[in-house]
Amino acid sequence: MDLLLLATSWAHVLLAPYTKVEESFNLHATHDVLMYGFDHNTFPGAVPRTFIGSILLAWLTSPVAYVASQWGLLSTKLDLQIAVRLVLATLNATGFMFVRRAVCRRFGRPTGLMYVLLTCSQFHLPFWMGRTLPNMFALFPVNLGFYALYDRAPHSQYPTRRSVDVAFALLTFTAVVFRSEVALLLAPLAIQALLLRHTSFLRLIRVGFLSGMLSIGAYCSLCTERSATVKRLALTITIDSYLWNQWPVWPELYGIYFNVYQGKSSDWGTSPVHAYFSSHLPRLLLGSLPLAVLGAALDNRVRALIHPPVLFIGLISCLGHKEWRFIIYVVPLFNIAAARGAWWMVSRKKGGLFGRVMFLAAMSILTLNCAITFVSMRASMANYPGGSALATFNDQYADQHAVHVHISNLAAQTGASLFLQSHSPPYISSMPAPATGDWVYNKTESLSPHDLTTSTPLTHLIAESSVEFIRTGRWKLVDRVQGFSRWKWNLPQGGIAKVLEVPLHQWLSVLEMETHDQLYILERAK
């Protein structure tokens, strides 16, 4: 079962190896640590982000990259980007493995199996767990916290005090360092723990205070039975202030000030109060949503487990700007509830009609999950034109020297990351530099076609249009790169009723993916 979690996360990375702009800070920060070629001061983003996750990811990737290069599995920067993402995917898959073990112990191995099948059949979580969003760095310690809370015997009423301490320390650390919205999940979990007498108020405050102070980089006393030692434990403030060249910088506190107090998050759009419950959660869970409701109705252990994530979504719904990634942390808990409901359905006696219907319904939900994931994955594979364009460009001109290419804004936002700048330093020591390592990749923004044409150093363009460049007579079109546009029903004549008459091997053609030209590779005419 653990291998299925790992294989699913790896498959999503390998099928869609490129990244988008929302992943760029942590991806490029990891590149900075691996390559020592800093980029964050040039394109810093709206608010500072922590480097902690990127530093740890780079450290974990370094030995993997060395071994892979020795075995001939890593020869380009794109290979290194894939290695970085595979390491992150493995880390998050490991977190889900811990949760799966807690489910098996608490609810039984069959429920653990259903948990794995439901998780792997969903799209969003497996697809994004290998992508360098800050939320994906937060997901691993959150899952470890869930493991500490829920890894206990089936009829156990109380987790151990040590497990509760570990769980709340991990969640506090995650809220302070990676994603501040985790504090809104921490609050209902803490209230529940107090009401159920899993911990005391003073103990909870002490754990939260010590974990918070360790996380922000304050002086803390670490007391043992034999001695007390005062150490400077530098994390988010010390490290991030140094790397941002400002003092002090606490990225998540600044994010709260910018997005919540100043209300700047609304500049990215607002959604109705009910959007998380009516739109985002159903998309994240797919068929797990009705199964979770069933599981909560069947088992009081599930109801106790579901209360905190529901309250968390209610709290975060008060913010106007809403994104699915802000509530991604509670998907594992809903999947536990869904797994309980699914196992109840498939475990009914098959001798009667009810048992057969329940089994068929559960299998149909899993099949529908897989179908939606397949369609979503196909669209996603075609939704990174910038990465495809730059990879094509690198291959097409691999033997040329002194290439100076301008990368348009759309290309930079849809996959043209620093890891795809294959013919320009820096390189890690275990990776051989190409013979043509003198290229310039230019991402200067707000340049008009006239500016690009009159800039004599530029030899090539990856542009969002081609007509105005070709019209000047100074550029020639080399290639077009297509991207996903929409899905279109390709129904046979006679309407949807005729679909059932289509041979099974032709069913995939009923739903057709449309693409259109999104980027153009141009070369300066000689």
Side-chain angles (χ1 to χ4, degrees):
M1 288 189 287
D2 288 345
L3 287 178
L4 183 58
L5 287 166
L6 182 62
T8 301
S9 66
W10 277 39
H12 282 281
V13 171
L14 296 173
L15 289 172
Y18 305 120
T19 60
K20 284 198 173 180
V21 63
E22 56 265 31
E23 307 161 57
S24 63
F25 174 81
N26 283 297
L27 184 73
H28 288 172
T30 305
H31 174 279
D32 297 344
V33 178
L34 287 168
M35 306 282 198
Y36 307 104
F38 286 88
D39 182 64
H40 64 281
N41 288 320
T42 305
F43 302 98
V47 296
R49 296 294 185 190
T50 183
F51 283 88
I52 303 296
S54 301
I55 291 171
L56 294 175
L57 181 58
W59 287 350
L60 291 173
T61 304
S62 291
V64 174
Y66 176 79
V67 172
S69 63
Q70 297 302 309
W71 289 355
L73 300 175
L74 190 150
S75 58
T76 67
K77 286 186 179 181
L78 176 58
D79 295 337
L80 184 58
Q81 174 173 301
I82 294 173
V84 167
R85 292 191 51 213
L86 287 176
V87 169
L88 180 59
T90 302
L91 195 66
N92 276 321
T94 303
F96 281 97
M97 293 173 195
F98 278 105
V99 175
R100 196 271 307 167
R101 293 179 185 181
V103 173
C104 289
R105 185 179 178 193
R106 183 74 170 154
F107 299 98
R109 289 182 62 85
T111 302
L113 173 61
M114 297 308 299
Y115 169 80
V116 171
L117 294 178
L118 287 167
T119 300
C120 292
S121 66
Q122 291 168 340
F123 172 70
H124 277 84
L125 194 53
F127 180 79
W128 285 93
M129 62 196 287
R131 295 185 172 274
T132 53
L133 286 176
N135 313 78
M136 296 303 111
F137 287 96
L139 188 61
F140 177 66
V142 168
N143 277 338
L144 291 184
F146 291 156
Y147 169 74
L149 278 178
Y150 302 118
D151 181 40
R152 56 185 193 267
H155 301 293
S156 172
Q157 296 295 320
Y158 299 96
T160 65
R161 289 291 180 93
R162 182 180 181 84
S163 296
V164 174
D165 291 347
V166 169
F168 285 107
L170 285 167
L171 292 171
T172 302
F173 166 80
T174 306
V176 169
V177 175
F178 292 122
R179 293 299 304 182
S180 56
E181 69 263 16
V182 174
L184 297 178
L185 175 60
L186 178 62
L189 284 169
I191 293 171
Q192 185 185 58
L194 291 172
L195 292 176
L196 297 178
R197 298 183 179 181
H198 293 170
T199 188
S200 66
F201 181 76
L202 290 178
R203 188 182 184 99
L204 188 65
I205 292 298
R206 184 170 70 249
V207 169
F209 177 78
L210 289 176
S211 178
M213 291 300 101
L214 290 172
S215 302
I216 65 175
Y219 283 95
C220 297
S221 297
L222 301 180
C223 299
T224 63
E225 294 181 357
R226 297 183 179 180
S227 64
T229 307
V230 178
K231 293 185 178 181
R232 175 81 166 138
L233 296 172
L235 276 178
T236 186
I237 286 182
T238 306
I239 292 175
D240 291 319
S241 296
Y242 172 76
L243 290 172
W244 282 108
N245 198 26
Q246 302 176 41
W247 183 267
V249 173
W250 179 359
E252 287 310 299
L253 181 62
Y254 187 84
I256 294 173
Y257 173 77
F258 182 85
N259 291 314
V260 180
Y261 180 76
Q262 293 187 320
K264 296 293 186 180
S265 63
S266 61
D267 294 346
W268 282 268
T270 58
S271 303
V273 174
H274 57 77
Y276 280 128
F277 289 104
S278 62
S279 177
H280 296 297
L281 195 61
R283 292 181 184 180
L284 289 170
L285 296 178
L286 299 179
S288 290
L289 184 56
L291 292 174
V293 175
L294 176 61
L298 293 170
D299 196 326
N300 59 355
R301 296 171 301 174
V302 172
R303 288 194 292 275
L305 180 145
I306 285 298
H307 288 151
V310 171
L311 289 174
F312 161 68
I313 297 174
L315 289 172
I316 202 170
S317 294
C318 296
L319 299 176
H321 179 65
K322 298 174 177 65
E323 296 183 35
W324 62 265
R325 60 191 180 96
F326 298 157
I327 61 168
I328 193 72
Y329 322 104
V330 299
V331 172
L333 297 183
F334 280 101
N335 281 346
I336 294 172
R340 178 68 182 89
W343 173 241
W344 180 87
M345 292 175 69
V346 301
S347 63
R348 299 305 89 193
K349 292 182 179 180
K350 308 304 185 294
L353 178 62
F354 180 75
R356 294 173 183 174
V357 170
M358 288 294 99
F359 182 83
L360 180 61
M363 294 302 102
S364 297
I365 287 174
L366 283 172
T367 302
L368 183 61
N369 274 9
C370 292
I372 294 173
T373 297
F374 176 79
V375 171
S376 301
M377 191 64 215
R378 280 197 65 199
S380 297
M381 290 168 63
N383 206 25
Y384 295 85
S388 299
L390 192 50
T392 299
F393 181 84
N394 287 333
D395 292 339
Q396 195 156 358
Y397 295 95
D399 297 331
Q400 290 194 18
H401 287 273
V403 170
H404 188 150
V405 57
H406 181 267
I407 300 168
S408 71
N409 189 45
L410 177 63
Q413 291 188 22
T414 58
S417 71
L418 292 179
F419 282 101
L420 268 75
Q421 297 183 8
S422 302
H423 296 271
S424 175
Y427 303 96
I428 60 173
S429 57
S430 59
M431 179 190 299
T436 54
D438 56 352
W439 290 18
V440 175
Y441 295 87
N442 189 329
K443 294 192 293 184
T444 305
E445 297 182 89
S446 303
L447 295 180
S448 67
H450 178 266
D451 296 332
L452 294 169
T453 301
T454 56
S455 179
T456 53
L458 290 175
T459 60
H460 298 81
L461 304 176
I462 298 178
E464 297 167 26
S465 61
S466 61
V467 175
E468 60 266 41
F469 293 103
I470 297 174
R471 190 180 296 145
T472 65
R474 299 186 183 182
W475 299 96
K476 63 179 182 180
L477 181 64
V478 177
D479 204 352
R480 295 180 174 88
V481 177
Q482 294 192 327
F484 173 77
S485 177
R486 66 187 181 99
W487 287 104
K488 182 182 72 172
W489 287 104
N490 189 20
L491 297 175
Q493 291 184 354
I496 196 168
K498 293 290 185 179
V499 172
L500 297 178
E501 300 178 10
V502 175
L504 186 61
H505 67 278
Q506 295 181 10
W507 272 30
L508 290 179
S509 63
V510 171
L511 188 62
E512 181 181 353
M513 184 172 67
E514 285 191 351
T515 60
H516 68 275
D517 295 341
Q518 292 194 4
L519 291 170
Y520 303 86
I521 299 175
L522 298 113
E523 181 179 353
R524 190 179 290 275
K526 298 179 182 179

